[in-house]
Structures are given as C-alpha cells and as structure tokens.
Amino acid sequence: MKHLLLLLLAGTWLVSCGTKQGQVSESPIQQKVVVGYITSWSDRIPDPEIVTHLNYAFGHVSENYDSIRIDNTERLRAIVALKDNHPQLKVMLSIGGWGSGRFSEMASDERNRLSFAQTCRKVIDNYGLDGIDIDWEYPTCSDAGISSSVDDTDNFTLLMRDIRQAIGQRLLTFADYADTSYVDYRSVMPYIDFINLMTYDMADPPYHHSALYRSEITSKLCSSEAIDRHIEAGVPLSKLVMGMPFYGRPSKDYKGNRPYGKMIHDNLYEERWDSIAQVPYLVDESGKMVLAYENVLSIRLKCEYIIEKGLRGAMYWDCDNDDDSFTLGRTVWATLFK
C-alpha cells in the first residue's frame, strides 16, 4: 500500500510538472480544435464525433442594428441537441457571412454595440450555446455589398471587447480573411479565444484558391503565407485555426459539381496534382484549370502542416459539402488526433 501511494504521488507530480500551480493540464483533445461550419439551409446532421466545435451559420445584425436575427432557429436547436449525447461538443452561433451587413453601423454606435453584445449573451443562454463567432466580411471593406467605414477596424476591437464583457468566459471567436488588412490583431487578442482563418477563396482558376504553398499557379496568397502574415501581425500560434474548403472553386467554363461529396462522381475533367502547392485541380481538354479544390491527400497535408507549425487546429467550410461518409472530415480528425 505504501508503494502504491508513492507511485500515485509521483504520477501526480509528473502530471502537474510544467503547469502553473492550481492549473489543470489540458488533454490533447482539449488543446486542439476542429471547427466545422454547419449551415441553416441544409437538413444534414453532421457527425459530432469528428469535430470539437460546430459553428452554426448564420445569425445577422438586426435591422435596428442592436440585436441578432437567426436563420432557421429550429435547425439551430437540432444542432444544439447533439450535445445531449455528446457533451464534449461545443456549438456556437456564427453571426455574419458574405453579404451580411449592418456591422459597421452597429459597431460605431456605443448604445447599439452594447445592446448587441447583451443579445449575444441572451442568445447563448436561450439556445444553450457555448459561444459566439463573428463573421464580419470585412471591417472597412464594402466588397460584399455592405456598408463600411474607415473606423471599422477600431470599432471591431470595441465590439469584441464588449461581447467578451457580456458573455464572460463563454467562447468568442471570429472568422478572418487570409490577408491581414482589416483587423488590429494585437488590440483584439485579449478578447478572443481563437481566429478561424479563411484560407480559401484566395483566387479563381486558373489559379489555386487554397494552395498550401506557393507555386507557379498561385496568384494572391497561399495558406502558409496567410499564417505567417497573421503571426507577424501579432496572433499567437495558439489562437490560429487554419481553414480549408470542402468544395471546389470553378472557372466560368466548369460544368461539374462544386461540393466534394458530389464532385467526386464527375468524370468530365482530368485531375492533376501540384506537388509544390500540394493541392489537386481539374483541367479541361486543353489543359486549362477549371476547378481548384481539395481531396483526401491535400487535406491530410494541411493537417500535418497544422501539427508541424503548432497551430490551434483546423476549420472547414462546410460540413454539408463533404460526402456521405464524411471522408474529408474524418481525414481532418484522424490526422490531427493520430
């Protein structure tokens, strides 16, 4: 019994070694995240065993600029209900999306901003959520047909501060473009848990839209460059979640399916592999790229990069675009937690 007690004490000392006093050491599952976006317009139920977080898309800034409107609340409740049998799962409401506006007006007015932040807390409590994901695309930018202001970057920081104060220790994240033009990262870091980096849609064919590394057919940015830019801008590795698309980005000449789950059944084009960019693509009879996309190999290589770089984890848009067996999602999970 004495020897058993000594062994237990030694084990306890080893577990606590390297952590602050009174702080519980996290398991690898807790440290890494796999964030899957799930849409309001689908009826598909994702596999809760291969994600740590589900981000429900979308909520929107209300027409009065001071609260939240949620698409398809019945489906949101169905996604939250997955937590009944999978208590480790985190479900968050993602507010925004491409073309979802009124952020600039809301964030610029203190009364509206504080009211919106309090509504975030109410939505979390009312639906049993674990947090909020802000998907403002993008502060100071009107490319999506939304209003913007030169003050948006500063107001974005104020918005994240106010939401953090309103929701306490609940999760707070935001979706961010691959470029670093829209956010003051050093000022916003104290308020957020991590960033879901949209390292996709970075170009159109005949260029890759989500290349891991730069090759001759990479035009604007690649994923590794986007990661490096965010690190240089002040984002710690522990708060960087790298995104990957479960869909293809087509040229105007492409006549096949875009979602991975449907695209894999197309036989209209020839598949090629870019060994430098580490992504596949489809070409037509003339050899011209008509679709930039992902497959099992490119997803696995991205996840291996996440591990090697020491990033927080992976994110993908979206669960609905995977095949019936959730092949890409399972690849993400198996690679990150092997």
Side-chain angles (χ1 to χ4, degrees):
M1 188 69 182
K2 180 180 179 181
H3 294 296
L4 177 60
L5 180 60
L6 289 172
L7 285 171
L8 289 172
L9 289 171
T12 301
W13 179 84
L14 286 171
V15 169
S16 62
C17 188
T19 63
K20 295 179 181 179
Q21 186 175 6
Q23 187 178 61
V24 178
S25 177
E26 290 184 326
S27 69
I29 290 289
Q30 291 172 317
Q31 292 170 350
K32 289 196 186 80
V33 300
V34 175
V35 181
Y37 278 84
I38 186 73
T39 65
S40 63
W41 53 87
S42 169
D43 59 1
R44 191 178 188 191
I45 297 297
D47 184 351
E49 294 289 344
I50 58 172
V51 291
T52 60
H53 298 64
L54 285 172
N55 283 5
Y56 183 81
F58 287 108
H60 308 276
V61 180
S62 69
E63 294 183 359
N64 294 328
Y65 309 114
D66 61 356
S67 58
I68 300 166
R69 173 180 62 82
I70 302 174
D71 294 336
N72 197 350
T73 56
E74 183 178 349
R75 176 156 168 79
L76 173 57
R77 293 188 187 280
I79 298 301
V80 173
L82 295 173
K83 292 163 55 69
D84 293 344
N85 294 321
H86 304 276
Q88 80 287 350
L89 178 67
K90 307 297 182 185
V91 178
M92 303 175 67
L93 175 64
S94 184
I95 303 171
W98 186 255
S100 181
R102 296 186 285 272
F103 280 102
S104 184
E105 296 91 337
M106 175 269 292
S108 66
D109 182 276
E110 183 179 19
R111 185 190 66 81
N112 287 339
R113 195 175 63 241
L114 291 172
S115 177
F116 178 87
Q118 288 299 322
T119 305
C120 287
R121 173 62 182 263
K122 293 175 183 177
V123 165
I124 289 173
D125 293 341
N126 291 343
Y127 289 91
L129 299 170
D130 296 283
I132 295 293
D133 175 63
I134 296 295
D135 189 4
W136 179 351
E137 300 185 23
Y138 303 99
T140 73
C141 178
S142 292
D143 288 354
I146 63 175
S147 56
S148 64
S149 164
V150 294
D151 298 322
D152 284 348
T153 296
D154 292 337
N155 291 334
F156 180 82
T157 298
L158 296 176
L159 174 63
M160 303 308 279
R161 179 202 66 185
D162 292 345
I163 296 175
R164 170 55 70 200
Q165 291 176 351
I167 70 174
Q169 296 302 308
R170 273 60 171 259
L171 293 169
L172 178 58
T173 64
F174 70 93
D176 190 29
Y177 184 54
D179 196 357
T180 52
S181 303
Y182 308 113
V183 175
D184 180 353
Y185 296 95
R186 286 182 171 84
S187 69
V188 83
M189 281 304 102
Y191 308 120
I192 62 115
D193 291 282
F194 53 83
I195 297 173
N196 294 306
L197 190 56
M198 294 184 284
T199 35
Y200 42 76
D201 291 342
M202 293 183 282
D204 293 303
Y207 300 102
H208 299 301
H209 84 110
S210 188
L212 181 53
Y213 299 106
R214 176 171 294 279
S215 74
E216 292 182 351
I217 46 178
T218 304
S219 63
K220 296 179 182 178
L221 276 174
C222 63
S223 297
S224 60
E225 291 171 354
I227 293 295
D228 289 341
R229 287 192 182 192
H230 279 75
I231 294 170
E232 292 170 3
V235 183
L237 295 171
S238 62
K239 292 191 176 185
L240 272 176
V241 176
M242 192 174 83
M244 50 196 74
F246 282 10
Y247 62 91
R249 191 167 181 89
S251 73
K252 63 181 180 179
D253 300 319
Y254 180 67
K255 297 179 175 61
N257 287 299
R258 292 183 60 193
Y260 174 80
K262 296 180 179 179
M263 184 192 67
I264 55 176
H265 302 296
D266 292 338
N267 297 305
L268 299 175
Y269 303 97
E270 176 188 347
E271 180 182 87
R272 292 186 181 176
W273 175 259
D274 186 332
S275 60
I276 299 175
Q278 297 192 354
V279 284
Y281 59 104
L282 297 183
V283 298
D284 61 16
E285 294 179 351
S286 69
K288 178 183 176 182
M289 182 196 294
V290 293
L291 187 76
Y293 71 105
E294 303 286 332
N295 62 13
V296 170
L297 177 57
S298 66
I299 291 293
R300 186 169 72 244
L301 290 170
K302 280 183 167 67
C303 290
E304 289 175 355
Y305 170 87
I306 288 169
I307 295 170
E308 292 167 5
K309 193 76 173 178
L311 305 182
R312 183 67 179 271
M315 172 273 283
Y316 47 83
W317 179 276
D318 64 77
C319 300
D320 302 330
N321 285 327
D322 211 342
D323 64 13
D324 292 340
S325 300
F326 295 105
T327 298
L328 296 185
R330 294 186 190 283
T331 300
V332 172
W333 185 265
T335 308
L336 287 182
F337 296 118
K338 60 185 177 182

